[in-house]
Amino acid sequence: MCGIVGYIGNTPAGDILLKGLRRLEYRGYDSAGVAVKDSDNIAIEKKKGRIDNLDLESIITGNVGIGHTRWATHGKPSDENSHPFFDCSESLAIVHNGIIDNFVALKDELEKAGHNFSSQTDSEVIAHLVEEYYQGDLMDAVTKTVSKLEGSYAIVVMHRDHDALIFSRNQSPLVIGIGTEENLVASDVPALLDHTNEVKYLQDGDIGRITTEDVKIWNDKGLEVERETKVIKWSVEDAEKGGYEHYMLKEIHEQPKAIHDSFLGRLVEFNEVDFSKYDIDLINIISCGTSYHAGLVGKYIIEEITGIQCMLDLASEYRYSSSTEKYPFTIFISQSGETADTIGAAKEAKRRGCKTLAITNVLDSSLTREVDEVIYTQAGPEIGVAATKTFTTQLIVLYLIAIQLGLRKGKILIEQAETYRNELRRLPRRVEVLLNDVDAIQDISERVLADAGDIFFVGRNINYPVALEGALKLKEIAYIHAAGYPAGELKHGPFALLTNKTPVIAICIKDHTFEKMLGNIGEIAARESPIICVCQEEMELEKLCDEIVVIPEISPLFSPVLINVVLQLFAYYTAYNLGRSIDKPRNLAKSVTVE
Ligand code: G6P
């Protein structure tokens, strides 16, 4: 995810672009840049780091420009990899949001044709392709360029000889802002609102042009189209959150896309890590907080799909534990890649002679430099302190790793792998269905959970760690004491605490533990605790439970993804009812860089 903005009008573009980029910083913030054109030239100022690092003194004044704030996916955050990109002759500049899947082949062809590249990004191929096709008609050159691109893109192109910005989109957002004697284009509405509240949302395949006076759009069939003008009523702050009241809720709702982006291009050909290089008979997963819970779910996934034994360690404990004789293949999970305990544990694992792999959401983060291999989740930036979409995408990567290892080990055949892949393919839609009907969850949060002093979460097997994560989320943002338990363990202590004032959220999935879980629910009911059951279909559970939340049909192995979304929403709506500071809970930080 990156933020892009373009301006053309009667006012100097530099400051307008910077202001627009600040409004888009939630989309990425590892580097930033702007390009501005006067009558003869284009000047670019771009740097690694925050927007405030940009020095606009070096930018010529001009009323046409493009800007970019980056969330790195290809090429580490650096000055050279920041956008905008020039072509070889510095006649044109581009910004891009998305991923060009075929950029390696395109770059190869362009280099053979004599183009010189200055970065490791996929995006730079766009500048050189436009240069290759340009013969005086910029629109024609961009049209030919996008016909060569595979993957996702929102692009804006400017040329020193044209008073116009050319744009196009495919699977990445782009919206036009219609001003008075000025027009804008941006990844999202907040970047436009200082100028106009009249916008046109582009559709996949659209390509078009803005000048100071007008907007023209053609669809993927080359027909000129009129996209409806909408009037935005949000404030700037509302708009940054896409109309959601909190980043956390926005990020919960972004999960269908985050899941899709995390398996895109990896389902069948997963070639980021060559597992054949490693002899993997034992796996250890090390992490903290929510990432630790993802690792715990991962243990069940990996053992089921690969038959390889999997252990778990909390990073803060592993660092100071005694060394074992064995050298397990060690996986580190960290959304930020900056957690001090996890980085320390990675150094220790290396010292012990383990081969290591990191799963993280942040390109080139510190953790990635400590390990042998890295796999990135593709969740996009997560702003809310409580991890939501990053947890879900960590699970997706763990499924992908397990399928790959399962095939390698001969534990599963290609048909079984395809069944698992189909489950993954269906997940985004299933999460969407769940998110479209949250009334029951909202109601239970308000009526049952918000007043409770203690809440228990119970599950069995693969949904036991999901119970732990549900309890953690509630503690983090609602400040209610909560504990997650394997349902079979309640009788070994927690029963002493169960009363009619301690709600129990029970995860009940139709797997081999179902009958046992029914027994546990009966035991809880006998203590008169209000029981909220999260299950697949009502079955006989309605007789035993006070409240029921039904999730869409799914196989038990993939159920943690859906169940966890329900528990995220319980935490969110409970905290909401209590008026908590949801995006920035007290005493907590998004990434903990101290021991
Ligand atoms: C902090 C955050 C948690 C997160 C944990 C581990 O405590 O508040 O949400 O789960 O760090 O972070 P990591 O970036 O390593 O996943």
Side-chain angles (χ1 to χ4, degrees), residues 295-573:
L296 264 176
V297 180
K299 171 184 163 67
Y300 289 87
I301 296 170
I302 289 170
E303 291 188 344
E304 162 101 22
I305 300 182
T306 71
I308 302 170
Q309 189 194 341
C310 191
M311 313 182 296
L312 256 296
D313 266 308
L314 283 161
S316 53
E317 288 297 312
Y318 175 87
R319 295 178 70 177
Y320 303 106
S321 63
S322 315
S323 179
T324 59
E325 288 300 305
K326 293 188 180 142
Y327 303 106
F329 185 78
T330 306
I331 301 177
F332 295 89
I333 307 179
S334 171
Q335 64 82 20
S336 64
E338 299 296 344
T339 302
D341 282 324
T342 310
I343 294 168
K347 289 184 174 147
E348 176 60 18
K350 213 194 248 169
R351 199 189 62 73
R352 293 182 189 184
C354 304
K355 293 292 172 202
T356 53
L357 160 72
I359 299 173
T360 182
N361 196 40
V362 181
L363 197 87
D364 205 39
S365 49
S366 305
L367 178 63
T368 64
R369 285 174 234 137
E370 302 296 337
V371 290
D372 299 305
E373 305 281 356
V374 182
I375 302 176
Y376 290 103
T377 51
Q378 298 290 352
E382 192 176 65
I383 311 292
V385 164
T388 51
K389 59 177 180 167
T390 52
F391 172 85
T392 302
T393 54
Q394 287 165 354
L395 296 191
I396 301 305
V397 167
L398 288 162
Y399 286 116
L400 293 172
I401 292 173
I403 295 169
Q404 212 54 28
L405 285 178
L407 283 168
R408 267 196 57 72
K409 286 267 163 193
K411 172 82 188 332
I412 54 168
L413 298 174
I414 197 76
E415 295 76 20
Q416 183 61 46
E418 200 44 31
T419 307
Y420 291 140
R421 289 173 186 143
N422 282 335
E423 290 279 357
L424 286 171
R425 287 186 184 103
R426 285 195 286 260
L427 268 178
R429 179 69 197 131
R430 286 171 168 164
V431 175
E432 222 166 74
V433 168
L434 200 160
L435 288 170
N436 284 340
D437 183 12
V438 299
D439 290 357
I441 301 172
Q442 239 175 316
D443 170 55
I444 295 166
S445 305
E446 185 180 348
R447 214 165 20 82
V448 188
L449 302 180
D451 287 338
D454 280 299
I455 299 176
F456 285 89
F457 288 72
V458 296
R460 275 180 173 267
N461 201 253
I462 197 168
N463 280 304
Y464 150 55
V466 180
L468 294 180
E469 173 58 12
L472 176 64
K473 211 86 307 173
L474 195 86
K475 281 184 280 204
E476 281 179 310
I477 62 163
Y479 315 154
I480 295 178
H481 174 257
Y485 262 93
E489 276 291 299
L490 284 181
K491 54 186 175 290
H492 300 297
F495 268 179
L497 295 173
L498 293 191
T499 69
N500 61 4
K501 301 234 164 351
T502 46
V504 178
I505 297 179
I507 305 167
C508 197
I509 287 302
K510 198 89 183 147
D511 64 5
H512 58 291
T513 66
F514 180 71
E515 299 299 331
K516 295 284 168 216
M517 193 68 205
L518 281 188
N520 296 138
I521 289 176
E523 292 163 358
I524 300 164
R527 271 85 194 166
E528 297 186 350
S529 297
I531 303 175
I532 300 150
C533 189
V534 185
C535 56
Q536 280 172 301
E537 45 189 283
E538 297 195 17
M539 302 174 282
E540 55 264 61
L541 288 162
E542 59 199 342
K543 287 181 234 131
L544 283 171
C545 303
D546 301 272
E547 317 283 347
I548 303 267
V549 174
V550 180
I551 61 162
E553 193 49 46
I554 189 155
S555 75
L557 187 64
F558 292 83
S559 64
V561 175
L562 294 188
I563 303 274
N564 184 56
V565 175
V566 175
L567 303 193
Q568 289 170 352
L569 291 166
F570 274 140
Y572 175 81
Y573 286 116

Side-chain angles (χ1 to χ4, degrees), residues 154-176:
I155 58 173
V156 187
V157 183
M158 64 191 287
H159 193 288
R160 66 178 179 202
D161 299 335
H162 296 265
D163 278 330
L165 295 177
I166 310 292
F167 52 81
S168 182
R169 73 154 268 179
N170 183 46
Q171 293 177 51
S172 290
L174 208 54
V175 55
I176 305 295

Side-chain angles (χ1 to χ4, degrees), residues 220-247:
D220 56 352
K221 299 189 178 58
L223 299 173
E224 191 172 343
V225 282
E226 197 45 57
R227 297 286 174 225
E228 193 189 340
T229 301
K230 304 223 160 130
V231 177
I232 301 291
K233 299 203 174 82
W234 303 330
S235 68
V236 170
E237 220 219 348
D238 287 345
E240 277 173 359
K241 294 178 188 147
Y244 293 100
E245 206 168 331
H246 297 97
Y247 280 113

